[in-house]
Amino acid sequence: QQQVKQSPQSLIVQKGGISIINCAYENTAFDYFPWYQQFPGKGPALLIAIRPDVSEKKEGRFTISFNKSAKQFSLHIMDSQPGDSATYFCAASGNTGKLIFGQGTTLQVKP
Amino acid sequence: DGGITQSPKYLFRKEGQNVTLSCEQNLNHDAMYWYRQDPGQGLRLIYYSQIVNDFQKGDIAEGYSVSREKKESFPLTVTSAQKNPTAFYLCASSIGGVFNQPQHFGDGTRLSIL
């Protein structure tokens, strides 16, 4: 019940396209859902986060969509750029504050 | 600039040896965390500390130990009891005090077996 399942494992998108990464969770006590971006040899950096009282949050080209009833949330990267090529992790946490991470998605944006 | 500094960047361990990974932060954060990252498995929590002189086991604490004597520092020791230590180790910190604050990560230490 503590798992967060992330898909796809890898994704190739053309420059200017939309990248979509999906995550599903089981624990209904989760109430914080961040997305992290990680470049090779670096630590993850917080990209955007959402709480379940809203269904969508947008920051620049990055949007989180949240479906509480389906226990799913997704990251959409609009107008994807080669500089967006990285590994993306979704995560979830509840009242323990402990983040449970998805397995990661490696995104490649082709010029 | 405030941030988290992990050292060394690369570390090699011999059989039966304990090694210590350093993590220092100047963000004035109360909470600190250690994660292990393996290919295709995301990040898994080893230990975390919400306040100085206190820490709790995460999901994969066996074979690891930590200390939290200063707010700024949270070193991780990989003991000889950890039979598969090869991984990328990440330290993080957050404001703490309230749950679900953003965690800020260092740039990791890559540990390999000689």
Side-chain angles (χ1 to χ4, degrees), chain B residues 34 46-47 55 61 63-67 75-79:
Chain B
W34 273 105
I46 305 173
Y47 270 97
F55 49 83
Y64 301 97
S65 66
V66 293
S67 62
L76 172 74
T77 296
V78 183
T79 75

Side-chain angles (χ1 to χ4, degrees), chain B residues 41-56:
Chain B
Q41 294 194 45
L43 281 70
R44 293 181 289 168
L45 184 64
I46 305 173
Y47 270 97
Y48 64 106
S49 168
Q50 298 284 11
I51 198 168
V52 175
N53 292 323
D54 187 45
F55 49 83
Q56 288 79 39

Side-chain angles (χ1 to χ4, degrees), chain B residues 11 13 17-23 34 46-47 60-67 74-82 85 89 111:
Chain B
L11 187 58
R13 195 192 89 168
Q17 185 182 44
N18 293 352
V19 292
T20 297
L21 285 60
S22 171
C23 177
W34 273 105
I46 305 173
Y47 270 97
I60 55 165
E62 185 175 349
Y64 301 97
S65 66
V66 293
S67 62
F74 192 40
L76 172 74
T77 296
V78 183
T79 75
S80 57
Q82 173 49 247
Y89 291 87
L111 176 62

Side-chain angles (χ1 to χ4, degrees), chain A residues 31-32 36 38 41-44 46 51 89 93-99 101-103, chain B residues 9 35 37 40-43 45 48 50 59 88 90 99-103 105-107:
Chain A
D31 61 1
Y32 174 65
Y36 283 83
Q38 184 180 30
K42 298 292 186 180
L46 179 65
R51 297 184 191 271
F89 292 95
S93 68
N95 59 7
T96 66
K98 290 166 56 177
L99 278 176
F101 284 85
Q103 296 89 339
Chain B
K9 193 170 180 64
Y35 293 91
Q37 184 174 22
Q41 294 194 45
L43 281 70
L45 184 64
Y48 64 106
Q50 298 284 11
D59 301 316
F88 190 47
L90 289 158
F99 293 126
N100 300 332
Q101 294 298 313
Q103 291 187 18
F105 285 83
D107 281 339

Side-chain angles (χ1 to χ4, degrees), chain A residues 3-67:
Chain A
Q3 282 188 326
V4 175
K5 295 183 179 179
Q6 183 172 346
S7 63
Q9 187 174 355
S10 62
L11 181 61
I12 300 174
V13 172
Q14 289 295 126
K15 178 182 175 182
I18 302 174
S19 304
I20 302 174
I21 305 170
N22 300 300
C23 285
Y25 64 98
E26 298 173 350
N27 189 343
T28 55
F30 287 155
D31 61 1
Y32 174 65
F33 303 90
W35 284 89
Y36 283 83
Q37 179 189 56
Q38 184 180 30
F39 293 104
K42 298 292 186 180
L46 179 65
L47 198 57
I48 186 173
I50 197 168
R51 297 184 191 271
D53 52 343
V54 296
S55 60
E56 186 174 282
K57 183 174 181 180
K58 183 176 180 179
E59 288 185 4
R61 296 184 293 109
F62 301 92
T63 299
I64 299 179
S65 297
F66 184 79
N67 186 330

